[in-house]
Amino acid sequence: MPNDGFTCKIGGIMWRVKFVKSSEISRTAWGTCDHPPGRRPTICIRASMTPAQRIDTIIHETLHAALPLLDEAAVRSTATDIARVLTKSGYKHAE
């Protein structure tokens, strides 16, 4: 996991992805995605998670960025399905 985050293009827009301390994000959130994206759109991912939680959350917030019209239920179930497929295929996050 890059300590300082990274940038990547999602839906034609450059996004910054940051891994943040628990104190920098709502206690009820695993991640956040700027809606609507401003000048410097940012996805924040809680740093203190298991690898399985992390991949699910990264996919979840990326779906919000790429397809902002999807409702939360669709994002949640799709992200979990994709994370499950990646995990079963042998994907492992390099630490």
Side-chain angles (χ1 to χ4, degrees), residues 5-89:
F6 58 91
T7 59
C8 62
K9 193 173 276 194
I10 304 169
I13 298 170
M14 285 303 288
W15 286 79
R16 175 150 174 81
V17 179
K18 296 181 354 181
F19 297 93
V20 298
K21 296 177 184 176
S22 295
S23 61
E24 297 177 60
I25 196 167
S26 167
R27 287 189 314 218
T28 60
W30 295 54
T32 62
C33 177
D34 288 348
H35 284 292
R39 249 183 93 186
R40 301 198 68 185
T42 303
I43 292 172
C44 293
I45 305 293
R46 184 183 297 267
S48 59
M49 290 191 274
T50 67
Q53 291 167 326
R54 185 179 306 120
I55 192 66
D56 193 308
T57 303
I58 290 169
I59 294 166
H60 181 108
E61 298 307 335
T62 301
L63 284 169
H64 277 307
L67 302 165
L69 297 180
L70 280 182
D71 66 30
E72 183 64 21
V75 168
R76 186 180 307 115
S77 66
T78 303
T80 299
D81 288 346
I82 293 169
R84 187 178 306 113
V85 169
L86 288 172
T87 300
K88 286 191 174 204
S89 73

